Amino acid sequence: MNDNLKLNNSELQFLSLAYNAFYDIYEEILDDNFWSEDQYFRFSRARDAFSIYAELLNYEPIKWVIEHMKTSRPPMEAEIGSELFKFIRNVIAHFPFYNSWDDIWISKGLVNWYKEGRFLRKYAGRQKVKYRFWQADIKRMTYLSIGFPEEYTEESKIYMKDILTEEEGIKFSMILMRQILDTQVIKE
Protein backbone atom coordinates (compact mmCIF):
# COMPACT_ATOMS: atom_id res chain seq x y z
CA MET A 1 0.00 0.00 0.00
CA ASN A 2 1.17 3.52 -0.72
CA ASP A 3 1.39 5.50 2.51
CA ASN A 4 2.21 8.66 0.56
CA LEU A 5 -1.05 8.76 -1.37
CA LYS A 6 -2.23 12.36 -1.34
CA LEU A 7 -5.94 13.07 -1.61
CA ASN A 8 -7.11 15.82 -3.90
CA ASN A 9 -9.99 18.06 -2.77
CA SER A 10 -12.63 16.12 -4.72
CA GLU A 11 -11.54 12.80 -3.19
CA LEU A 12 -11.42 14.28 0.28
CA GLN A 13 -14.89 15.75 -0.07
CA PHE A 14 -16.38 12.52 -1.49
CA LEU A 15 -14.64 10.23 1.00
CA SER A 16 -15.68 12.39 3.97
CA LEU A 17 -19.33 12.42 2.94
CA ALA A 18 -19.40 8.73 1.96
CA TYR A 19 -17.61 7.44 5.05
CA ASN A 20 -19.70 9.56 7.43
CA ALA A 21 -22.95 8.46 5.80
CA PHE A 22 -21.88 4.81 5.74
CA TYR A 23 -20.80 4.82 9.39
CA ASP A 24 -24.12 6.42 10.42
CA ILE A 25 -26.08 3.73 8.56
CA TYR A 26 -23.79 1.04 9.97
CA GLU A 27 -24.58 2.10 13.54
CA GLU A 28 -28.27 2.24 12.73
CA ILE A 29 -28.43 -1.22 11.11
CA LEU A 30 -26.42 -2.96 13.80
CA ASP A 31 -28.72 -1.65 16.52
CA ASP A 32 -31.26 -4.38 17.40
CA ASN A 33 -34.06 -1.76 17.45
CA PHE A 34 -33.54 -1.24 13.72
CA TRP A 35 -35.00 -4.68 13.01
CA SER A 36 -38.37 -3.77 14.50
CA GLU A 37 -38.74 -0.92 11.98
CA ASP A 38 -41.01 -1.15 8.93
CA GLN A 39 -39.63 -3.45 6.20
CA TYR A 40 -39.52 -0.65 3.61
CA PHE A 41 -37.50 1.55 5.97
CA ARG A 42 -35.04 -1.31 6.61
CA PHE A 43 -34.78 -1.97 2.89
CA SER A 44 -34.19 1.70 2.14
CA ARG A 45 -31.36 2.00 4.65
CA ALA A 46 -29.72 -1.21 3.40
CA ARG A 47 -30.07 0.07 -0.18
CA ASP A 48 -28.32 3.30 0.85
CA ALA A 49 -25.48 1.40 2.53
CA PHE A 50 -24.88 -0.87 -0.48
CA SER A 51 -24.97 2.17 -2.81
CA ILE A 52 -22.44 4.14 -0.79
CA TYR A 53 -20.17 1.12 -0.43
CA ALA A 54 -20.30 0.35 -4.16
CA GLU A 55 -19.18 3.92 -4.89
CA LEU A 56 -16.34 3.59 -2.39
CA LEU A 57 -15.16 0.42 -4.18
CA ASN A 58 -14.02 2.76 -6.97
CA TYR A 59 -11.42 4.35 -4.68
CA GLU A 60 -8.05 2.95 -5.74
CA PRO A 61 -6.69 2.08 -2.25
CA ILE A 62 -9.84 0.05 -1.54
CA LYS A 63 -9.25 -1.85 -4.78
CA TRP A 64 -5.79 -2.71 -3.43
CA VAL A 65 -7.36 -4.00 -0.22
CA ILE A 66 -9.74 -6.25 -2.18
CA GLU A 67 -6.83 -7.62 -4.23
CA HIS A 68 -4.84 -8.29 -1.06
CA MET A 69 -7.82 -10.10 0.49
CA LYS A 70 -7.78 -12.63 -2.35
CA THR A 71 -4.57 -14.11 -0.97
CA SER A 72 -4.74 -13.24 2.72
CA ARG A 73 -8.36 -13.87 3.78
CA PRO A 74 -10.66 -16.89 3.76
CA PRO A 75 -11.84 -18.16 0.37
CA MET A 76 -14.43 -16.01 -1.39
CA GLU A 77 -14.23 -13.14 1.13
CA ALA A 78 -12.75 -10.72 -1.40
CA GLU A 79 -15.33 -11.71 -3.99
CA ILE A 80 -18.15 -11.29 -1.47
CA GLY A 81 -16.74 -7.94 -0.33
CA SER A 82 -16.59 -6.69 -3.89
CA GLU A 83 -18.50 -8.64 -6.54
CA LEU A 84 -21.46 -9.83 -4.43
CA PHE A 85 -22.01 -6.48 -2.73
CA LYS A 86 -21.73 -4.65 -6.06
CA PHE A 87 -24.20 -7.15 -7.58
CA ILE A 88 -26.67 -6.45 -4.76
CA ARG A 89 -26.29 -2.71 -5.28
CA ASN A 90 -26.84 -3.08 -9.01
CA VAL A 91 -29.99 -5.16 -8.57
CA ILE A 92 -31.43 -2.68 -6.08
CA ALA A 93 -30.47 0.35 -8.19
CA HIS A 94 -31.47 -0.96 -11.62
CA PHE A 95 -34.72 -2.61 -10.53
CA PRO A 96 -36.19 -0.04 -8.10
CA PHE A 97 -39.61 -1.64 -7.97
CA TYR A 98 -39.10 -3.69 -4.81
CA ASN A 99 -40.21 -2.56 -1.36
CA SER A 100 -38.51 -5.08 0.88
CA TRP A 101 -35.46 -7.33 0.90
CA ASP A 102 -37.57 -10.50 0.74
CA ASP A 103 -39.46 -9.21 -2.34
CA ILE A 104 -36.35 -8.91 -4.51
CA TRP A 105 -36.13 -11.51 -7.22
CA ILE A 106 -34.36 -11.62 -10.53
CA SER A 107 -34.09 -13.90 -13.50
CA LYS A 108 -31.58 -14.20 -16.29
CA GLY A 109 -34.00 -12.47 -18.65
CA LEU A 110 -34.59 -9.61 -16.23
CA VAL A 111 -30.92 -9.06 -15.41
CA ASN A 112 -29.92 -9.22 -19.05
CA TRP A 113 -32.77 -7.13 -20.49
CA TYR A 114 -30.34 -4.35 -21.38
CA LYS A 115 -26.82 -5.57 -20.71
CA GLU A 116 -25.57 -8.99 -19.70
CA GLY A 117 -24.91 -9.43 -15.99
CA ARG A 118 -21.88 -11.48 -15.03
CA PHE A 119 -22.13 -12.21 -11.31
CA LEU A 120 -24.75 -14.97 -11.40
CA ARG A 121 -23.30 -16.50 -14.56
CA LYS A 122 -19.91 -16.69 -12.81
CA TYR A 123 -21.09 -18.03 -9.42
CA ALA A 124 -24.19 -20.13 -10.18
CA GLY A 125 -23.75 -23.69 -8.94
CA ARG A 126 -21.15 -22.81 -6.30
CA GLN A 127 -21.46 -24.23 -2.83
CA LYS A 128 -22.72 -22.05 -0.01
CA VAL A 129 -20.13 -20.01 1.82
CA LYS A 130 -20.55 -20.16 5.58
CA TYR A 131 -19.65 -17.34 7.92
CA ARG A 132 -20.05 -16.29 11.48
CA PHE A 133 -19.69 -12.92 13.09
CA TRP A 134 -19.45 -11.74 16.68
CA GLN A 135 -21.33 -8.72 17.94
CA ALA A 136 -19.34 -7.82 21.04
CA ASP A 137 -21.75 -5.16 22.30
CA ILE A 138 -24.55 -7.72 22.69
CA LYS A 139 -22.30 -10.78 23.11
CA ARG A 140 -23.87 -12.72 20.25
CA MET A 141 -22.36 -15.01 17.64
CA THR A 142 -24.40 -15.21 14.43
CA TYR A 143 -24.00 -17.89 11.81
CA LEU A 144 -25.09 -17.50 8.21
CA SER A 145 -24.64 -18.94 4.77
CA ILE A 146 -24.31 -17.07 1.52
CA GLY A 147 -26.04 -19.07 -1.16
CA PHE A 148 -25.63 -19.12 -4.88
CA PRO A 149 -28.36 -20.32 -7.24
CA GLU A 150 -27.97 -23.90 -8.42
CA GLU A 151 -28.56 -22.75 -11.97
CA TYR A 152 -28.95 -19.51 -13.81
CA THR A 153 -31.38 -19.92 -16.68
CA GLU A 154 -34.09 -17.88 -18.37
CA GLU A 155 -36.69 -19.70 -16.26
CA SER A 156 -34.95 -19.37 -12.86
CA LYS A 157 -36.52 -16.98 -10.38
CA ILE A 158 -33.75 -16.14 -7.94
CA TYR A 159 -34.65 -14.45 -4.66
CA MET A 160 -32.16 -12.21 -2.91
CA LYS A 161 -33.20 -13.72 0.44
CA ASP A 162 -31.91 -17.09 -0.82
CA ILE A 163 -28.52 -15.56 -1.54
CA LEU A 164 -28.33 -13.44 1.61
CA THR A 165 -30.96 -13.31 4.34
CA GLU A 166 -32.24 -9.93 5.39
CA GLU A 167 -31.25 -9.50 9.03
CA GLU A 168 -28.22 -11.76 9.39
CA GLY A 169 -27.08 -11.18 5.82
CA ILE A 170 -27.29 -7.42 5.95
CA LYS A 171 -25.59 -7.28 9.36
CA PHE A 172 -22.78 -9.48 8.04
CA SER A 173 -22.51 -7.32 4.92
CA MET A 174 -22.24 -4.17 6.99
CA ILE A 175 -19.53 -5.69 9.19
CA LEU A 176 -17.46 -6.89 6.23
CA MET A 177 -17.91 -3.59 4.40
CA ARG A 178 -16.78 -1.71 7.49
CA GLN A 179 -13.71 -3.91 7.92
CA ILE A 180 -12.73 -3.16 4.33
CA LEU A 181 -13.45 0.57 4.62
CA ASP A 182 -11.65 0.85 7.97
CA THR A 183 -8.39 -0.07 6.25
CA GLN A 184 -8.31 3.48 4.88
CA VAL A 185 -9.03 5.27 8.16
CA ILE A 186 -6.11 6.72 10.05
CA LYS A 187 -6.61 6.26 13.75
CA GLU A 188 -4.98 8.98 15.82
Side-chain angles (χ1 to χ4, degrees):
M1 311 285 171
N2 185 349
D3 291 332
N4 296 324
L5 186 66
K6 298 284 186 207
L7 296 175
N8 64 41
N9 286 336
S10 297
E11 290 172 325
L12 184 59
Q13 185 176 28
F14 169 75
L15 291 171
S16 295
L17 289 169
Y19 267 78
N20 287 334
F22 179 85
Y23 286 149
D24 288 346
I25 296 169
Y26 172 90
E27 294 298 329
E28 193 175 345
I29 288 176
L30 263 64
D31 185 326
D32 278 344
N33 294 325
F34 175 80
W35 299 98
S36 62
E37 295 285 349
D38 171 79
Q39 66 182 359
Y40 181 72
F41 177 78
R42 294 190 315 260
F43 175 68
S44 297
R45 298 308 283 157
R47 178 186 59 215
D48 294 345
F50 279 97
S51 293
I52 293 166
Y53 180 78
E55 289 301 319
L56 285 164
L57 283 174
N58 294 315
Y59 182 51
E60 196 65 34
I62 292 177
K63 291 179 185 179
W64 300 334
V65 171
I66 297 293
E67 281 304 310
H68 180 69
M69 288 173 66
K70 290 179 181 178
T71 58
S72 66
R73 299 291 304 158
M76 291 290 296
E77 193 168 287
E79 291 80 1
I80 289 166
S82 58
E83 294 175 64
L84 173 63
F85 294 164
K86 194 178 285 188
F87 162 76
I88 291 170
R89 178 264 174 212
N90 288 343
V91 167
I92 293 169
H94 295 292
F95 307 106
F97 26 78
Y98 299 110
N99 292 318
S100 76
W101 189 263
D102 289 350
D103 290 343
I104 303 171
W105 67 270
I106 53 171
S107 66
K108 188 174 187 177
L110 181 62
V111 168
N112 296 327
W113 82 270
Y114 172 68
K115 179 180 165 186
E116 184 179 11
R118 295 181 298 259
F119 180 80
L120 290 176
R121 182 173 36 112
K122 183 176 179 180
Y123 291 104
R126 290 233 182 175
Q127 291 184 346
K128 288 183 176 186
V129 177
K130 297 182 181 206
Y131 280 99
R132 66 179 183 197
F133 60 91
W134 175 251
Q135 288 179 267
D137 57 330
I138 56 175
K139 297 180 177 32
R140 182 182 346 168
M141 180 72 73
T142 301
Y143 297 86
L144 77 142
S145 295
I146 297 172
F148 302 98
E150 289 182 28
E151 54 184 27
Y152 180 51
T153 65
E154 294 292 330
E155 298 79 35
S156 343
K157 194 170 187 180
I158 301 163
Y159 282 86
M160 190 65 72
K161 66 183 178 182
D162 296 332
I163 296 172
L164 198 64
T165 60
E166 183 189 17
E167 184 173 350
E168 293 83 7
I170 292 173
K171 283 181 180 179
F172 164 78
S173 299
M174 296 300 294
I175 290 168
L176 181 55
M177 288 178 202
R178 179 155 185 173
Q179 288 173 351
I180 292 167
L181 296 179
D182 281 354
T183 64
Q184 302 307 303
V185 175
I186 299 171
K187 306 226 189 298
E188 295 180 19

PDB file of all heavy atoms in Angstrom, residues 134-159:
ATOM      1  N   TRP A 134     -19.261 -12.009  15.248  1.00  0.00           N
ATOM      2  CA  TRP A 134     -19.446 -11.741  16.675  1.00  0.00           C
ATOM      3  C   TRP A 134     -19.839 -10.284  16.849  1.00  0.00           C
ATOM      4  O   TRP A 134     -19.187  -9.391  16.322  1.00  0.00           O
ATOM      5  CB  TRP A 134     -18.153 -12.029  17.423  1.00  0.00           C
ATOM      6  CG  TRP A 134     -18.176 -11.671  18.876  1.00  0.00           C
ATOM      7  CD1 TRP A 134     -17.514 -10.635  19.466  1.00  0.00           C
ATOM      8  CD2 TRP A 134     -18.865 -12.350  19.923  1.00  0.00           C
ATOM      9  NE1 TRP A 134     -17.760 -10.630  20.809  1.00  0.00           N
ATOM     10  CE2 TRP A 134     -18.599 -11.679  21.128  1.00  0.00           C
ATOM     11  CE3 TRP A 134     -19.703 -13.465  19.967  1.00  0.00           C
ATOM     12  CZ2 TRP A 134     -19.117 -12.075  22.351  1.00  0.00           C
ATOM     13  CZ3 TRP A 134     -20.219 -13.861  21.186  1.00  0.00           C
ATOM     14  CH2 TRP A 134     -19.927 -13.162  22.357  1.00  0.00           C
ATOM     15  N   GLN A 135     -20.937 -10.074  17.572  1.00  0.00           N
ATOM     16  CA  GLN A 135     -21.330  -8.720  17.941  1.00  0.00           C
ATOM     17  C   GLN A 135     -20.983  -8.557  19.421  1.00  0.00           C
ATOM     18  O   GLN A 135     -21.722  -9.013  20.294  1.00  0.00           O
ATOM     19  CB  GLN A 135     -22.818  -8.505  17.695  1.00  0.00           C
ATOM     20  CG  GLN A 135     -23.161  -8.419  16.218  1.00  0.00           C
ATOM     21  CD  GLN A 135     -24.641  -8.229  16.014  1.00  0.00           C
ATOM     22  OE1 GLN A 135     -25.359  -9.203  15.855  1.00  0.00           O
ATOM     23  NE2 GLN A 135     -25.084  -6.985  16.022  1.00  0.00           N
ATOM     24  N   ALA A 136     -19.862  -7.925  19.677  1.00  0.00           N
ATOM     25  CA  ALA A 136     -19.337  -7.820  21.042  1.00  0.00           C
ATOM     26  C   ALA A 136     -20.266  -7.038  21.966  1.00  0.00           C
ATOM     27  O   ALA A 136     -20.401  -7.391  23.142  1.00  0.00           O
ATOM     28  CB  ALA A 136     -17.954  -7.162  21.016  1.00  0.00           C
ATOM     29  N   ASP A 137     -20.906  -6.001  21.441  1.00  0.00           N
ATOM     30  CA  ASP A 137     -21.749  -5.162  22.297  1.00  0.00           C
ATOM     31  C   ASP A 137     -22.939  -5.923  22.878  1.00  0.00           C
ATOM     32  O   ASP A 137     -23.401  -5.619  23.972  1.00  0.00           O
ATOM     33  CB  ASP A 137     -22.220  -3.917  21.549  1.00  0.00           C
ATOM     34  CG  ASP A 137     -22.967  -4.243  20.262  1.00  0.00           C
ATOM     35  OD1 ASP A 137     -22.678  -5.291  19.643  1.00  0.00           O
ATOM     36  OD2 ASP A 137     -23.827  -3.446  19.877  1.00  0.00           O
ATOM     37  N   ILE A 138     -23.419  -6.936  22.173  1.00  0.00           N
ATOM     38  CA  ILE A 138     -24.549  -7.717  22.693  1.00  0.00           C
ATOM     39  C   ILE A 138     -24.153  -9.176  22.952  1.00  0.00           C
ATOM     40  O   ILE A 138     -25.005 -10.011  23.240  1.00  0.00           O
ATOM     41  CB  ILE A 138     -25.777  -7.651  21.746  1.00  0.00           C
ATOM     42  CG1 ILE A 138     -25.400  -8.104  20.338  1.00  0.00           C
ATOM     43  CG2 ILE A 138     -26.383  -6.260  21.750  1.00  0.00           C
ATOM     44  CD1 ILE A 138     -26.577  -8.178  19.387  1.00  0.00           C
ATOM     45  N   LYS A 139     -22.850  -9.452  22.839  1.00  0.00           N
ATOM     46  CA  LYS A 139     -22.298 -10.775  23.115  1.00  0.00           C
ATOM     47  C   LYS A 139     -23.074 -11.881  22.387  1.00  0.00           C
ATOM     48  O   LYS A 139     -23.571 -12.822  22.995  1.00  0.00           O
ATOM     49  CB  LYS A 139     -22.260 -11.041  24.619  1.00  0.00           C
ATOM     50  CG  LYS A 139     -21.347 -10.076  25.359  1.00  0.00           C
ATOM     51  CD  LYS A 139     -21.320 -10.334  26.837  1.00  0.00           C
ATOM     52  CE  LYS A 139     -20.406  -9.476  27.610  1.00  0.00           C
ATOM     53  NZ  LYS A 139     -20.135  -8.152  27.243  1.00  0.00           N
ATOM     54  N   ARG A 140     -23.125 -11.749  21.059  1.00  0.00           N
ATOM     55  CA  ARG A 140     -23.865 -12.716  20.253  1.00  0.00           C
ATOM     56  C   ARG A 140     -23.034 -13.131  19.041  1.00  0.00           C
ATOM     57  O   ARG A 140     -22.491 -12.287  18.328  1.00  0.00           O
ATOM     58  CB  ARG A 140     -25.176 -12.121  19.774  1.00  0.00           C
ATOM     59  CG  ARG A 140     -26.001 -13.106  18.973  1.00  0.00           C
ATOM     60  CD  ARG A 140     -27.292 -12.567  18.428  1.00  0.00           C
ATOM     61  NE  ARG A 140     -27.700 -11.312  19.016  1.00  0.00           N
ATOM     62  CZ  ARG A 140     -28.671 -10.552  18.545  1.00  0.00           C
ATOM     63  NH1 ARG A 140     -29.351 -10.917  17.495  1.00  0.00           N
ATOM     64  NH2 ARG A 140     -28.974  -9.411  19.115  1.00  0.00           N
ATOM     65  N   MET A 141     -22.982 -14.453  18.827  1.00  0.00           N
ATOM     66  CA  MET A 141     -22.355 -15.012  17.636  1.00  0.00           C
ATOM     67  C   MET A 141     -23.489 -15.364  16.678  1.00  0.00           C
ATOM     68  O   MET A 141     -24.441 -16.026  17.066  1.00  0.00           O
ATOM     69  CB  MET A 141     -21.548 -16.265  17.975  1.00  0.00           C
ATOM     70  CG  MET A 141     -20.863 -16.903  16.795  1.00  0.00           C
ATOM     71  SD  MET A 141     -19.457 -15.962  16.168  1.00  0.00           S
ATOM     72  CE  MET A 141     -18.255 -16.252  17.454  1.00  0.00           C
ATOM     73  N   THR A 142     -23.377 -14.927  15.444  1.00  0.00           N
ATOM     74  CA  THR A 142     -24.397 -15.212  14.432  1.00  0.00           C
ATOM     75  C   THR A 142     -23.757 -16.010  13.307  1.00  0.00           C
ATOM     76  O   THR A 142     -22.662 -15.692  12.857  1.00  0.00           O
ATOM     77  CB  THR A 142     -24.988 -13.899  13.879  1.00  0.00           C
ATOM     78  OG1 THR A 142     -25.553 -13.158  14.962  1.00  0.00           O
ATOM     79  CG2 THR A 142     -26.048 -14.166  12.836  1.00  0.00           C
ATOM     80  N   TYR A 143     -24.454 -17.036  12.892  1.00  0.00           N
ATOM     81  CA  TYR A 143     -24.001 -17.890  11.810  1.00  0.00           C
ATOM     82  C   TYR A 143     -24.890 -17.657  10.595  1.00  0.00           C
ATOM     83  O   TYR A 143     -26.097 -17.489  10.733  1.00  0.00           O
ATOM     84  CB  TYR A 143     -24.089 -19.359  12.229  1.00  0.00           C
ATOM     85  CG  TYR A 143     -23.194 -19.690  13.393  1.00  0.00           C
ATOM     86  CD1 TYR A 143     -23.626 -19.496  14.701  1.00  0.00           C
ATOM     87  CD2 TYR A 143     -21.905 -20.176  13.182  1.00  0.00           C
ATOM     88  CE1 TYR A 143     -22.797 -19.777  15.780  1.00  0.00           C
ATOM     89  CE2 TYR A 143     -21.071 -20.460  14.255  1.00  0.00           C
ATOM     90  CZ  TYR A 143     -21.524 -20.259  15.549  1.00  0.00           C
ATOM     91  OH  TYR A 143     -20.700 -20.533  16.603  1.00  0.00           O
ATOM     92  N   LEU A 144     -24.296 -17.665   9.422  1.00  0.00           N
ATOM     93  CA  LEU A 144     -25.087 -17.500   8.213  1.00  0.00           C
ATOM     94  C   LEU A 144     -24.397 -18.179   7.053  1.00  0.00           C
ATOM     95  O   LEU A 144     -23.206 -18.498   7.125  1.00  0.00           O
ATOM     96  CB  LEU A 144     -25.326 -16.026   7.895  1.00  0.00           C
ATOM     97  CG  LEU A 144     -24.163 -15.259   7.275  1.00  0.00           C
ATOM     98  CD1 LEU A 144     -24.698 -14.296   6.243  1.00  0.00           C
ATOM     99  CD2 LEU A 144     -23.410 -14.511   8.345  1.00  0.00           C
ATOM    100  N   SER A 145     -25.165 -18.401   6.008  1.00  0.00           N
ATOM    101  CA  SER A 145     -24.638 -18.944   4.767  1.00  0.00           C
ATOM    102  C   SER A 145     -24.983 -17.985   3.642  1.00  0.00           C
ATOM    103  O   SER A 145     -26.071 -17.406   3.618  1.00  0.00           O
ATOM    104  CB  SER A 145     -25.281 -20.294   4.449  1.00  0.00           C
ATOM    105  OG  SER A 145     -24.928 -21.257   5.405  1.00  0.00           O
ATOM    106  N   ILE A 146     -24.055 -17.842   2.730  1.00  0.00           N
ATOM    107  CA  ILE A 146     -24.305 -17.071   1.524  1.00  0.00           C
ATOM    108  C   ILE A 146     -24.514 -18.102   0.429  1.00  0.00           C
ATOM    109  O   ILE A 146     -23.637 -18.926   0.164  1.00  0.00           O
ATOM    110  CB  ILE A 146     -23.138 -16.128   1.208  1.00  0.00           C
ATOM    111  CG1 ILE A 146     -22.991 -15.114   2.352  1.00  0.00           C
ATOM    112  CG2 ILE A 146     -23.341 -15.441  -0.139  1.00  0.00           C
ATOM    113  CD1 ILE A 146     -21.775 -14.246   2.262  1.00  0.00           C
ATOM    114  N   GLY A 147     -25.702 -18.069  -0.156  1.00  0.00           N
ATOM    115  CA  GLY A 147     -26.045 -19.072  -1.156  1.00  0.00           C
ATOM    116  C   GLY A 147     -25.915 -18.539  -2.565  1.00  0.00           C
ATOM    117  O   GLY A 147     -26.036 -17.342  -2.816  1.00  0.00           O
ATOM    118  N   PHE A 148     -25.679 -19.448  -3.461  1.00  0.00           N
ATOM    119  CA  PHE A 148     -25.627 -19.123  -4.883  1.00  0.00           C
ATOM    120  C   PHE A 148     -26.662 -20.006  -5.572  1.00  0.00           C
ATOM    121  O   PHE A 148     -26.862 -21.147  -5.169  1.00  0.00           O
ATOM    122  CB  PHE A 148     -24.228 -19.380  -5.446  1.00  0.00           C
ATOM    123  CG  PHE A 148     -23.169 -18.590  -4.738  1.00  0.00           C
ATOM    124  CD1 PHE A 148     -22.408 -19.158  -3.724  1.00  0.00           C
ATOM    125  CD2 PHE A 148     -22.944 -17.267  -5.066  1.00  0.00           C
ATOM    126  CE1 PHE A 148     -21.441 -18.420  -3.059  1.00  0.00           C
ATOM    127  CE2 PHE A 148     -21.976 -16.518  -4.401  1.00  0.00           C
ATOM    128  CZ  PHE A 148     -21.224 -17.096  -3.393  1.00  0.00           C
ATOM    129  N   PRO A 149     -27.335 -19.489  -6.586  1.00  0.00           N
ATOM    130  CA  PRO A 149     -28.358 -20.317  -7.238  1.00  0.00           C
ATOM    131  C   PRO A 149     -27.733 -21.566  -7.861  1.00  0.00           C
ATOM    132  O   PRO A 149     -26.597 -21.520  -8.330  1.00  0.00           O
ATOM    133  CB  PRO A 149     -28.947 -19.397  -8.299  1.00  0.00           C
ATOM    134  CG  PRO A 149     -27.946 -18.322  -8.501  1.00  0.00           C
ATOM    135  CD  PRO A 149     -27.172 -18.198  -7.228  1.00  0.00           C
ATOM    136  N   GLU A 150     -28.480 -22.668  -7.815  1.00  0.00           N
ATOM    137  CA  GLU A 150     -27.967 -23.902  -8.421  1.00  0.00           C
ATOM    138  C   GLU A 150     -27.758 -23.716  -9.914  1.00  0.00           C
ATOM    139  O   GLU A 150     -26.790 -24.201 -10.478  1.00  0.00           O
ATOM    140  CB  GLU A 150     -28.928 -25.054  -8.156  1.00  0.00           C
ATOM    141  CG  GLU A 150     -28.913 -25.499  -6.707  1.00  0.00           C
ATOM    142  CD  GLU A 150     -29.836 -26.675  -6.458  1.00  0.00           C
ATOM    143  OE1 GLU A 150     -30.079 -27.470  -7.390  1.00  0.00           O
ATOM    144  OE2 GLU A 150     -30.296 -26.791  -5.315  1.00  0.00           O
ATOM    145  N   GLU A 151     -28.694 -23.020 -10.542  1.00  0.00           N
ATOM    146  CA  GLU A 151     -28.556 -22.748 -11.966  1.00  0.00           C
ATOM    147  C   GLU A 151     -29.039 -21.343 -12.268  1.00  0.00           C
ATOM    148  O   GLU A 151     -29.776 -20.744 -11.496  1.00  0.00           O
ATOM    149  CB  GLU A 151     -29.324 -23.770 -12.797  1.00  0.00           C
ATOM    150  CG  GLU A 151     -30.768 -23.911 -12.440  1.00  0.00           C
ATOM    151  CD  GLU A 151     -31.456 -25.007 -13.238  1.00  0.00           C
ATOM    152  OE1 GLU A 151     -30.799 -25.962 -13.675  1.00  0.00           O
ATOM    153  OE2 GLU A 151     -32.673 -24.871 -13.431  1.00  0.00           O
ATOM    154  N   TYR A 152     -28.609 -20.868 -13.384  1.00  0.00           N
ATOM    155  CA  TYR A 152     -28.946 -19.512 -13.812  1.00  0.00           C
ATOM    156  C   TYR A 152     -29.453 -19.612 -15.233  1.00  0.00           C
ATOM    157  O   TYR A 152     -28.682 -19.614 -16.189  1.00  0.00           O
ATOM    158  CB  TYR A 152     -27.697 -18.640 -13.696  1.00  0.00           C
ATOM    159  CG  TYR A 152     -27.866 -17.204 -14.107  1.00  0.00           C
ATOM    160  CD1 TYR A 152     -28.901 -16.419 -13.612  1.00  0.00           C
ATOM    161  CD2 TYR A 152     -26.960 -16.619 -14.981  1.00  0.00           C
ATOM    162  CE1 TYR A 152     -29.036 -15.092 -13.981  1.00  0.00           C
ATOM    163  CE2 TYR A 152     -27.081 -15.291 -15.356  1.00  0.00           C
ATOM    164  CZ  TYR A 152     -28.118 -14.536 -14.856  1.00  0.00           C
ATOM    165  OH  TYR A 152     -28.253 -13.223 -15.226  1.00  0.00           O
ATOM    166  N   THR A 153     -30.762 -19.742 -15.370  1.00  0.00           N
ATOM    167  CA  THR A 153     -31.381 -19.921 -16.684  1.00  0.00           C
ATOM    168  C   THR A 153     -32.454 -18.858 -16.880  1.00  0.00           C
ATOM    169  O   THR A 153     -32.799 -18.124 -15.947  1.00  0.00           O
ATOM    170  CB  THR A 153     -32.031 -21.313 -16.788  1.00  0.00           C
ATOM    171  OG1 THR A 153     -33.104 -21.389 -15.841  1.00  0.00           O
ATOM    172  CG2 THR A 153     -31.024 -22.425 -16.525  1.00  0.00           C
ATOM    173  N   GLU A 154     -33.002 -18.819 -18.072  1.00  0.00           N
ATOM    174  CA  GLU A 154     -34.088 -17.879 -18.374  1.00  0.00           C
ATOM    175  C   GLU A 154     -35.281 -18.102 -17.454  1.00  0.00           C
ATOM    176  O   GLU A 154     -35.984 -17.171 -17.103  1.00  0.00           O
ATOM    177  CB  GLU A 154     -34.531 -18.013 -19.838  1.00  0.00           C
ATOM    178  CG  GLU A 154     -33.486 -17.592 -20.846  1.00  0.00           C
ATOM    179  CD  GLU A 154     -33.180 -16.107 -20.836  1.00  0.00           C
ATOM    180  OE1 GLU A 154     -34.062 -15.295 -20.523  1.00  0.00           O
ATOM    181  OE2 GLU A 154     -32.025 -15.756 -21.145  1.00  0.00           O
ATOM    182  N   GLU A 155     -35.521 -19.352 -17.072  1.00  0.00           N
ATOM    183  CA  GLU A 155     -36.686 -19.698 -16.262  1.00  0.00           C
ATOM    184  C   GLU A 155     -36.467 -19.519 -14.762  1.00  0.00           C
ATOM    185  O   GLU A 155     -37.419 -19.482 -14.000  1.00  0.00           O
ATOM    186  CB  GLU A 155     -37.098 -21.156 -16.524  1.00  0.00           C
ATOM    187  CG  GLU A 155     -37.502 -21.438 -17.953  1.00  0.00           C
ATOM    188  CD  GLU A 155     -36.303 -21.610 -18.908  1.00  0.00           C
ATOM    189  OE1 GLU A 155     -35.268 -22.154 -18.476  1.00  0.00           O
ATOM    190  OE2 GLU A 155     -36.408 -21.160 -20.050  1.00  0.00           O
ATOM    191  N   SER A 156     -35.217 -19.451 -14.305  1.00  0.00           N
ATOM    192  CA  SER A 156     -34.953 -19.369 -12.862  1.00  0.00           C
ATOM    193  C   SER A 156     -35.468 -18.058 -12.286  1.00  0.00           C
ATOM    194  O   SER A 156     -35.259 -17.008 -12.866  1.00  0.00           O
ATOM    195  CB  SER A 156     -33.470 -19.452 -12.531  1.00  0.00           C
ATOM    196  OG  SER A 156     -32.671 -19.931 -13.524  1.00  0.00           O
ATOM    197  N   LYS A 157     -36.103 -18.166 -11.142  1.00  0.00           N
ATOM    198  CA  LYS A 157     -36.518 -16.982 -10.385  1.00  0.00           C
ATOM    199  C   LYS A 157     -35.684 -17.022  -9.106  1.00  0.00           C
ATOM    200  O   LYS A 157     -35.890 -17.865  -8.246  1.00  0.00           O
ATOM    201  CB  LYS A 157     -38.015 -17.045 -10.080  1.00  0.00           C
ATOM    202  CG  LYS A 157     -38.596 -15.749  -9.616  1.00  0.00           C
ATOM    203  CD  LYS A 157     -40.116 -15.833  -9.567  1.00  0.00           C
ATOM    204  CE  LYS A 157     -40.731 -14.503  -9.267  1.00  0.00           C
ATOM    205  NZ  LYS A 157     -42.200 -14.561  -9.218  1.00  0.00           N
ATOM    206  N   ILE A 158     -34.728 -16.128  -9.018  1.00  0.00           N
ATOM    207  CA  ILE A 158     -33.746 -16.143  -7.937  1.00  0.00           C
ATOM    208  C   ILE A 158     -34.080 -15.029  -6.954  1.00  0.00           C
ATOM    209  O   ILE A 158     -34.103 -13.854  -7.319  1.00  0.00           O
ATOM    210  CB  ILE A 158     -32.320 -15.962  -8.509  1.00  0.00           C
ATOM    211  CG1 ILE A 158     -32.029 -17.087  -9.506  1.00  0.00           C
ATOM    212  CG2 ILE A 158     -31.290 -15.901  -7.396  1.00  0.00           C
ATOM    213  CD1 ILE A 158     -30.863 -16.803 -10.424  1.00  0.00           C
ATOM    214  N   TYR A 159     -34.317 -15.416  -5.706  1.00  0.00           N
ATOM    215  CA  TYR A 159     -34.652 -14.453  -4.663  1.00  0.00           C
ATOM    216  C   TYR A 159     -33.397 -14.034  -3.919  1.00  0.00           C
ATOM    217  O   TYR A 159     -32.555 -14.870  -3.576  1.00  0.00           O
ATOM    218  CB  TYR A 159     -35.661 -15.050  -3.677  1.00  0.00           C
ATOM    219  CG  TYR A 159     -37.069 -15.062  -4.210  1.00  0.00           C
ATOM    220  CD1 TYR A 159     -37.533 -16.114  -4.989  1.00  0.00           C
ATOM    221  CD2 TYR A 159     -37.923 -13.994  -3.967  1.00  0.00           C
ATOM    222  CE1 TYR A 159     -38.822 -16.097  -5.502  1.00  0.00           C
ATOM    223  CE2 TYR A 159     -39.211 -13.971  -4.474  1.00  0.00           C
ATOM    224  CZ  TYR A 159     -39.648 -15.029  -5.242  1.00  0.00           C
ATOM    225  OH  TYR A 159     -40.918 -15.005  -5.750  1.00  0.00           O
TER     226      TYR A 159
END
